[in-house]
Amino acid sequence: MTAPGHAGVAHGVRAWDTHGEQAQPAQKTSGTSITPGRAYGFFTDTTLCIGCKACEVACKQWNQLPSDGYELSGHSYDNTRQLGASTWRHVTFIEQFDEDRFAERDFDVFASLPARVEPWGAFTAGEQWAEPGRRWLLMSDVCKHCVNAPCLEACPTGSIIRTEFDSVYVQQDVCNGCGYCVPACPFGVVEVAKGGDGKAHKCTLCYDRLRGGMEPACANACPTDSIQFGPVDELVERAKLRTDELRGRGIPAYLYGTDGVLEDGADTTRLNGLNCFFLLIDRPEVYNLPPVPHRASSATGRGLVTSGLAALGLVAATLWAFAGDR
């Protein structure tokens, strides 16, 4: 099903030339062409994220999303805190440092380091960044555009559809703000803008940019290629190579959202995988991701059986009560 045009198309994006006569901007910025009918998404390598938040800014700028305010949250450098109706990209900051690291501070930094930790000049020898107790974990989170999307299943109006790029899209002119999609999402991505237009909002995978042959704004802005955009099948192959490389260096890397491919610490097969998947080096819960995300509809059969048994029990109890009165 094809999604309708998005307001962003009016920003001056040129329509993609279906005859291939015009080079797509995405070919220059991400090395890939965008073809309707193929599944596209993100491969987010969390080991490359530096927490710069360029993705957050680019997302808000392109999609004309309002600011989240200027108050400090007190949660590390994370002030946006979570995904929401006006925050479609969110960089998670996870500090993992041993308490004794700060017990006796020494202004001579290098003198205070343990002997086996080498200065930055020879950093790769120790792989200090991958050791629990002495590292930051950073992850740019986003809608996962599930292959079998629970939010789409829960939508009673047909507002949430799957586009020709296999992304999951909320049609704002159809959404009635019922909010059924909110609890259906196992990742807490979708939110109804109660203080705004009262409708559900989330990442569109920059649908308007894809139609214009451009890669999504967040991936285009990422300075380290932590967020990589492309056809999902090609991204998975790229992610497997990266995972093998890290494992060869002794780092416990695995993939999250690949429908079983190198998913040592997770299982997303109930959703048939995610078009936007991640490379992680710690348990999914540490990144606020469920190890085994479920579809709410998968419990429907069990619920019907339970209700049926309860009804039968009630009928049996009623008959027994009437029989006892005779």
Side-chain angles (χ1 to χ4, degrees):
M1 189 171 185
T2 301
H6 183 269
V9 174
H11 296 171
V13 176
R14 298 182 63 180
W16 178 56
D17 186 342
T18 55
H19 300 291
E21 298 175 354
Q22 178 183 327
Q24 293 184 338
Q27 291 176 313
K28 297 180 180 178
T29 59
S30 64
T32 187
S33 59
I34 301 172
T35 306
R38 196 171 185 186
Y40 290 87
F42 296 123
F43 161 41
T44 300
D45 184 344
T46 62
T47 64
L48 298 179
C49 182
I50 58 175
C52 67
K53 304 188 184 184
C55 52
E56 285 192 20
V57 175
C59 177
K60 281 188 175 291
Q61 184 180 38
W62 178 260
N63 294 293
Q64 301 180 2
L65 300 175
S67 165
D68 296 306
Y70 299 98
E71 296 182 0
L72 297 177
S73 68
H75 299 287
S76 189
Y77 291 94
D78 182 3
N79 292 319
T80 48
R81 302 184 187 185
Q82 60 187 356
L83 295 170
S86 62
T87 302
W88 299 351
R89 264 284 176 191
H90 170 240
V91 178
T92 301
F93 287 73
I94 304 158
E95 297 183 21
Q96 292 186 330
F97 294 102
D98 295 331
E99 293 183 2
D100 59 359
R101 178 185 176 91
F102 308 101
E104 296 180 3
R105 296 199 60 179
D106 190 332
F107 291 102
D108 185 350
V109 176
F110 292 110
S112 65
L113 291 175
R116 62 192 180 92
V117 177
E118 301 181 15
W120 291 96
F123 186 60
T124 55
E127 304 274 6
Q128 172 188 332
W129 61 272
E131 295 183 25
R134 57 181 69 246
R135 68 183 180 186
W136 291 81
L137 295 178
L138 305 167
M139 184 187 78
S140 181
D141 198 9
V142 70
C143 171
K144 318 304 182 288
H145 295 275
C146 308
V147 175
N148 199 343
C151 62
L152 191 153
E153 291 182 338
C155 180
T157 65
S159 167
I160 302 179
I161 61 171
R162 189 167 296 281
T163 74
E164 64 270 38
F165 307 112
D166 207 37
S167 58
V168 180
Y169 185 93
V170 182
Q171 300 177 102
Q172 296 302 311
D173 58 341
V174 181
C175 178
N176 63 2
C178 68
Y180 287 4
C181 54
V182 176
C185 176
F187 305 104
V189 169
V190 192
E191 185 182 40
V192 174
K194 295 181 179 178
D197 61 6
K199 299 183 179 182
H201 295 274
K202 71 171 194 65
C203 162
T204 67
L205 201 69
C206 278
Y207 177 72
D208 51 346
R209 290 177 66 94
L210 298 190
R211 283 179 57 86
M214 304 168 67
E215 72 172 321
C218 55
N220 189 44
C222 181
T224 64
D225 274 345
S226 172
I227 304 172
Q228 299 179 35
F229 167 78
V232 174
D233 54 343
E234 293 182 8
L235 291 177
V236 170
E237 293 303 315
R238 196 182 305 172
K240 288 164 63 178
L241 292 175
R242 173 64 174 167
T243 304
D244 289 341
E245 176 203 341
L246 290 173
R247 288 181 176 182
R249 290 157 51 183
I251 299 169
Y254 69 96
L255 300 178
Y256 182 94
T258 50
D259 194 22
V261 177
L262 296 178
E263 281 192 326
D264 293 356
D267 179 7
T268 61
T269 56
R270 289 169 176 77
L271 303 179
N272 293 332
L274 314 172
N275 284 345
C276 299
F277 59 94
F278 302 84
L279 184 152
L280 309 176
I281 60 172
D282 206 330
R283 292 174 292 110
E285 304 95 308
V286 173
Y287 300 88
N288 198 29
L289 295 171
V292 186
H294 293 271
R295 292 164 45 230
S297 60
S298 63
T300 302
R302 188 168 58 250
L304 290 174
V305 171
T306 303
S307 299
L309 292 175
L312 289 175
L314 183 60
V315 169
T318 303
L319 293 175
W320 180 81
F322 277 112
D325 291 337
R326 292 180 179 178

